[in-house]
């Protein structure tokens, strides 16, 4: 018993070290002067430790603009997605109407469209409507791809919440929207946070649309901006590593903060023993 | 507080299930009316229609003299206790109790006072800061009850509120609930499938069967004078025994044929039971409650009809023994009817034993074999 407990812990620690090491190496390397990056047998710790790469991406390349773009695009897409998605999912979970399964199937089909197939038509569309290089050119396609997943996940979540809770709220004097807001939504919070995280990460990392629908440095999002660091002859690895470090931290922090919200069994105790 | 009047209620669900047909019921102001019936007979449907959670197909519902058919649930000012309690799991007991008042925009101070008063009354004071999942079944049940009474609604609707409790707690809550209702003098429409609950709690009892109302009357009358065979068979535990019977002869020769045996009836029996006049020489259904079998004691010997039985199974419960036996049922053309007699433990009885038991003719119920109506 005890021995197996120790070995499980050991395996866990080993696993964490292994999966964390690449990121740790990225962090260390971003602090090294360029000369040490390409050395055979590079030193483990950066010596001397230098902020040069960070200075370069923020002051020379104005990388903060790209971060801002990503935050705005991913944040807006996630917000709209969760708002629209939860209302749609609520309707699909609770209401009885004709053609419900057809609608659900149609939503699924939309998400199965290969993005590559619609890049060109979308580019033409956005060019005609002068949306190229705007936030909207990214938010709209992100929504179309993130919404179906959100709706499907949340439909399942809403179905698990006993309808009686809402009925009780109605009798307690709440209108339909109030009952949704006060009772159903808080109980669906784990599902909503889950879909929010998934959507945000999808938008944060998305590359194809971002590459196609932005044409200047100032309007690019992070993934595209990092690729564009490379010139014809040189690849500024140090700066790329610095940028990767900078953009991974907030996402990791976000997931860590929100994951505490993703507790299952929140509905325990609602009904009987 | 207000009475509830339901008239001509029909409910057909979208899938075509006719859950209620021509349902009329008036719950008086301050009355505790129990709606009882077997599972699936439409009891919850009645409550849900009154509460506004389900739209009636036909019929009107009024609360306190006001027709509420077109009002949404939140405007009907009724409180419902659900079978599953339906407590808000993400809120503390205090917030659960306060929710109804908060929705009605009462001032904070008033809410605090009202919740404290209810918590005091229901013994929930120590639990106000807990979440429902940290409570026992009985405590949850009391929170559900408290959530209903804190608002002082026009009437309470209760859907089997005690059915998730264990037997001992159920009996205790039964009396507590009654005490509470007497104190608050609120109208209660209480649904249960448990006939014991119905008989012990209701000012009046309404028996529902297959979506049709069978009888509404005080408990004693339901028990003594069931309106038809369905009510007779549902109310009482163990259930009433039935068999096909026939009355023949007249005057002092009046006899009842039943189970291949004959029981003498008093000469004036038909005068006292005028409903039976047209049923002489015809088949009818006789019903006898298990508790109406009497031991053959010396003094009573002459006055009583006697039935010879052979005990098949004997259940000994302590205060009473249940003797299971079968009576041949030749008039109905079937092999035998399974009967139960509740016998005093002093009556010596054992499986396989032949026994004579006494029946008082006035205890026998008669029903029309076709319509099932009591005669
Ligand atoms: N939403 C619904 N859709 C279709 N049929 C329904 C619906 N709700 C109930 N029914 C049907 O209506 C009938 C009455 O149901 P109801 O829930 O009122 O029974 P009940 O008397 O409360 O039973 P129980 O004691 O088991 O709770 C049942 O035959 C049931 O199958
Ligand atoms: Mg029910």
């Amino acid at each position: 018993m005890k021995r197996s407990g120790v070995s499980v812990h050991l395996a866990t620690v080993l696993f964490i070290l292994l999966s964390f090491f690449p990121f740790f190496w990225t962090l260390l390397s971003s602090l090294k002067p360029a000369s040490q990056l390409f050395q055979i047998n590079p030193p483990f710790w950066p010596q001397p430790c230098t902020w040069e790469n960070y200075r370069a991406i923020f002051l020379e390349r104005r990388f903060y603009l790209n971060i801002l773009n990503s935050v705005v695009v991913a944040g807006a897409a996630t917000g709209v997605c969760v708002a629209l998605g939860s209302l749609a999912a609520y309707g699909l979970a609770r209401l009885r109407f004709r053609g419900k399964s057809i609608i659900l199937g149609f939503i699924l089909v939309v998400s199965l469209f290969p993005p590559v197939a619609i890049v060109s038509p979308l580019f033409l569309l956005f060019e005609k409507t002068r949306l190229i290089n705007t936030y909207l050119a990214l938010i709209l396609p992100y929504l179309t791809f993130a919404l179906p997943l959100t709706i499907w996940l949340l439909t399942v979540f809403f179905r698990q919440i006993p309808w009686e809770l809402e009925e009780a709220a109605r009798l307690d004097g709440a209108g339909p929207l109030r009952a949704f807001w006060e009772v159903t939504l808080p109980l669906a919070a784990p599902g909503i946070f889950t879909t929010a995280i998934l959507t945000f990460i999808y938008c944060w990392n998305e590359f194809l649309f971002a590459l196609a629908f932005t044409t200047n440095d100032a309007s690019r999002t992070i993934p595209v901006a990092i690729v564009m660091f490379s010139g014809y002859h040189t690849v500024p690895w140090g700066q790329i590593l610095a940028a990767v470090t900078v953009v991974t931290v907030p996402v990791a922090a976000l997931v860590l903060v929100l994951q505490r919200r993703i507790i299952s069994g929140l509905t325990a105790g609602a009904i009987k023993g | 507080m207000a009475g509830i009047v339901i008239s001509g209620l029909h409910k057909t669900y979208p899938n075509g299930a006719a859950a209620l047909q021509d349902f009329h019921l008036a719950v008086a102001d301050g009355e505790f009316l129990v709606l009882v019936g077997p599972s699936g007979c439409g009891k919850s449907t009645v409550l849900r229609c009154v509460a506004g959670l389900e739209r009636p197909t036909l019929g009107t519902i009024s609360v306190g003299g006001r027709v509420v058919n077109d009002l949404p649930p939140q405007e009907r000012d009724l409180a419902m206790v659900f079978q599953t309690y339906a407590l808000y799991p993400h809120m503390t007991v205090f917030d659960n109790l306060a929710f109804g008042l908060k929705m009605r925009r009462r001032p904070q101070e008033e809410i605090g006072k009202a919740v404290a008063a209810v918590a005091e009354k229901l013994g929930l004071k120590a639990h106000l800061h807990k979440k429902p999942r940290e409570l026992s079944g009985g405590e949850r049940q009391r929170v559900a009850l408290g959530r209903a009474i804190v608002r002082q609604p026009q009437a309470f609707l209760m859907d089997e509120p005690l059915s998730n409790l264990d037997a001992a707690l159920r009996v205790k809550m039964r009396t507590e609930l009654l005490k509470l209702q007497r104190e608050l003098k609120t109208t209660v429409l209480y649904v249960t499938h448990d006939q014991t609950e119905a008989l012990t709690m209701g000012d009046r009892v309404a028996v529902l069967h297959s979506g049709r109302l069978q009888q509404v009357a005080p408990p004693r009358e339901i028990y003594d004078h069931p309106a038809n065979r369905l009510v007779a068979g549902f109310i009482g535990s163990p259930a009433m025994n039935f068999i096909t019977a026939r009355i023949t002869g007249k005057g002092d020769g009046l006899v009842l044929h039943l189970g291949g045996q004959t029981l003498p009836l008093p000469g004036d029996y038909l005068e006292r039971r005028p409903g039976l006049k047209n049923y002489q020489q015809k088949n009818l259904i006789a019903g006898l409650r298990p508790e109406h079998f009497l031991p053959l004691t010396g003094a009573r010997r002459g006055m009583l009809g006697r039935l010879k039985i052979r005990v098949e199974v004997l259940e000994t419960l302590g205060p009473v023994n249940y003797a299971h036996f079968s009576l041949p049922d030749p008039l109905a053309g079937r092999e035998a009817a399974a009967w139960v007699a509740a016998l005093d433990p002093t009556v010596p009885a054992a499986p396989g034993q032949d026994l004579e038991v006494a029946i008082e003719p006035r205890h026998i119920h008669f029903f029309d074999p076709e319509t099932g109506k009591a005669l």
Side-chain angles (χ1 to χ4, degrees):
Chain A
M1 231 6 242
K2 194 152 186 213
R3 189 174 295 182
S4 82
V6 170
S7 58
V8 164
H9 273 99
L10 219 70
T12 312
V13 169
L14 206 70
F15 180 77
I16 291 174
L17 282 179
L18 274 178
S19 39
F20 194 67
F21 184 76
F23 179 72
F24 188 61
W25 192 244
T26 306
L27 174 69
L28 287 182
S29 305
S30 71
L31 295 170
K32 290 172 190 167
S35 58
Q36 282 177 14
L37 277 181
F38 301 101
Q39 219 168 300
I40 298 176
N41 293 331
F44 189 82
W45 299 107
Q47 40 188 246
C49 189
T50 164
W51 293 98
E52 170 54 27
N53 290 323
Y54 291 87
R55 198 198 56 79
I57 60 171
F58 279 106
L59 295 186
E60 286 164 24
R61 295 192 184 272
R62 299 203 296 165
F63 189 56
Y64 52 87
L65 282 182
N66 306 118
I67 294 179
L68 182 71
N69 291 339
S70 273
V71 167
V72 169
V73 168
T78 304
V80 175
C81 188
V82 167
L84 285 183
S86 57
L87 286 175
Y90 181 70
L92 286 166
R94 287 294 198 241
L95 302 181
R96 248 189 323 234
F97 57 89
R98 261 163 208 264
K100 191 153 98 174
S101 52
I102 296 177
I103 291 181
L104 272 169
F106 188 74
I107 291 172
L108 193 63
V109 166
V110 169
S111 72
L112 294 179
F113 253 70
V116 177
I118 61 168
V119 166
S120 317
L122 274 183
F123 183 82
L124 295 177
L125 185 72
F126 288 148
E127 201 171 38
K128 278 263 153 44
T129 48
R130 294 167 192 268
L131 287 178
I132 297 293
N133 285 334
T134 65
Y135 291 146
L136 224 47
L138 295 181
I139 294 173
L140 288 177
Y142 289 176
L143 271 180
T144 37
F145 279 92
L147 257 177
L149 179 72
T150 307
I151 292 175
W152 268 79
L153 273 175
L154 287 181
T155 304
V156 173
F157 258 93
F158 284 135
R159 279 202 185 127
Q160 287 169 348
I161 296 168
W163 197 342
E164 276 183 0
L165 292 179
E166 243 168 285
E167 294 183 331
R170 296 296 305 278
L171 278 157
D172 264 347
L177 270 180
R178 195 79 199 269
F180 173 69
W181 183 256
E182 297 271 353
V183 174
T184 311
L185 212 54
L187 291 176
I192 289 176
F193 283 118
T194 309
T195 49
I197 288 179
L198 288 176
T199 308
F200 190 87
I201 291 177
Y202 160 76
C203 300
W204 191 257
N205 291 336
E206 204 283 334
F207 183 72
L208 185 61
F209 291 138
L211 178 68
F213 304 146
T214 53
T215 53
N216 57 38
D217 280 344
S219 52
R220 288 196 174 110
T221 56
I222 293 163
V224 182
I226 292 179
V227 169
M228 294 295 166
F229 282 1
S230 313
Y232 275 115
H233 306 291
T234 56
V235 180
W237 286 113
Q239 293 179 21
I240 290 176
L241 292 173
V244 166
T245 307
V246 167
V247 303
T248 309
V249 168
V251 178
L254 184 78
V255 173
L256 280 180
V257 168
L258 289 190
Q259 79 158 0
R260 298 179 37 170
R261 297 293 195 127
I262 309 172
I263 347 161
S264 56
L266 202 67
T267 52
I271 54 180
K272 61 175 200 179
Chain B
M1 269 158 277
I4 301 170
V5 179
I6 306 165
S7 55
L9 180 62
H10 286 253
K11 175 67 194 180
T12 306
Y13 281 106
N15 65 1
L20 284 178
Q21 284 162 43
D22 199 28
F23 184 91
H24 297 261
L25 187 66
V27 190
D29 191 355
E31 183 179 28
F32 196 114
L33 190 134
V34 179
L35 183 61
V36 67
S39 188
C41 69
K43 305 179 297 286
S44 299
T45 306
V46 172
L47 277 200
R48 297 173 56 80
C49 286
V50 174
L53 299 172
E54 213 71 67
R55 182 165 267 283
T57 312
L58 273 180
T60 57
I61 295 164
S62 48
V63 177
R66 187 172 60 139
V67 175
V68 295
N69 277 45
D70 294 323
L71 290 184
Q74 69 268 27
E75 285 168 31
R76 296 193 181 193
D77 197 17
L78 300 166
M80 185 152 162
V81 179
F82 291 81
Q83 177 175 355
T84 53
Y85 310 152
L87 302 180
Y88 311 123
H90 56 299
M91 299 183 195
T92 61
V93 169
F94 181 94
D95 289 332
N96 265 281
L97 294 175
F99 189 76
L101 296 171
K102 221 172 78 188
M103 289 302 114
R104 287 183 161 70
R105 303 219 162 69
R106 294 289 161 76
Q108 202 71 38
E109 195 183 337
E110 184 193 326
I111 294 178
K113 266 191 206 150
V115 170
V118 166
E120 174 80 58
K121 199 192 290 294
L122 294 174
L124 288 169
K125 262 192 145 166
H127 306 298
L128 280 176
H129 59 280
K130 291 190 190 164
K131 294 269 177 73
R133 65 171 164 274
E134 300 166 86
L135 299 178
S136 74
E139 287 158 358
R140 284 178 203 177
Q141 207 277 336
R142 276 180 285 162
V143 176
L145 214 58
R147 193 172 61 180
I149 64 180
V150 73
R151 259 173 45 212
Q152 309 188 322
Q154 304 251 26
F156 294 134
L157 309 172
M158 303 197 183
D159 195 351
E160 315 207 13
L162 304 183
S163 62
N164 279 325
L165 301 179
D166 66 50
L169 201 54
R170 202 178 318 161
V171 174
K172 184 168 160 257
M173 284 307 294
R174 221 150 66 190
T175 50
E176 282 193 16
L177 202 59
L178 274 182
K179 231 170 63 193
L180 204 65
Q181 194 262 345
R182 302 277 179 262
E183 201 179 313
L184 301 170
K185 299 189 182 62
T186 314
T187 312
V188 177
L189 178 53
Y190 183 103
V191 159
T192 178
H193 65 261
D194 181 346
Q195 48 95 22
T196 318
E197 237 168 67
L199 293 179
T200 51
M201 297 180 80
D203 291 328
R204 283 192 304 156
V205 176
V207 182
L208 187 63
H209 196 282
S210 312
R212 289 176 186 279
L213 191 62
Q214 306 295 327
Q215 186 175 8
V216 189
R220 191 72 228 177
E221 192 180 329
I222 293 264
Y223 180 82
D224 286 340
H225 304 288
N228 59 39
R229 201 182 148 172
L230 290 172
V231 177
F234 185 71
I235 298 290
S237 169
M240 187 184 279
N241 302 299
F242 295 105
I243 200 162
T244 316
R246 190 177 281 192
I247 298 174
T248 61
K250 58 165 73 107
D252 283 343
L254 199 66
V255 290
L256 176 67
H257 300 266
L258 141 177
Q261 307 182 33
T262 52
L263 300 173
L265 294 175
D268 61 350
Y269 198 67
L270 294 184
E271 272 83 74
R272 277 196 266 143
R273 306 278 292 258
L276 290 172
K277 280 235 167 80
N278 299 326
Y279 285 85
Q280 265 180 293
Q281 311 287 352
K282 287 191 203 153
N283 279 0
L284 31 66
I285 305 289
L288 188 65
R289 295 204 182 275
E291 50 272 38
H292 288 151
F293 291 90
L294 307 168
L296 267 181
T297 50
R300 277 157 155 181
R301 242 162 217 267
M303 303 152 50
L304 303 170
R306 296 180 191 187
L307 209 54
K308 293 189 186 67
I309 63 171
R310 171 170 290 173
V311 179
E312 285 162 2
V313 176
L314 192 75
E315 290 179 279
T316 52
L317 270 72
V320 67
N321 288 347
Y322 288 129
H324 294 255
F325 58 97
S326 50
L327 278 182
D329 198 0
L331 292 169
R334 61 175 173 154
E335 277 289 292
W339 275 37
V340 184
L343 298 176
D344 197 273
T346 55
V347 177
Q353 188 187 344
D354 285 317
L355 205 64
E356 250 191 324
V357 287
I359 298 169
E360 265 196 83
R362 66 183 175 92
H363 282 150
I364 303 174
H365 299 263
F366 291 101
F367 305 95
D368 184 288
E370 252 97 63
T371 62
K373 275 178 84 153
L375 301 171

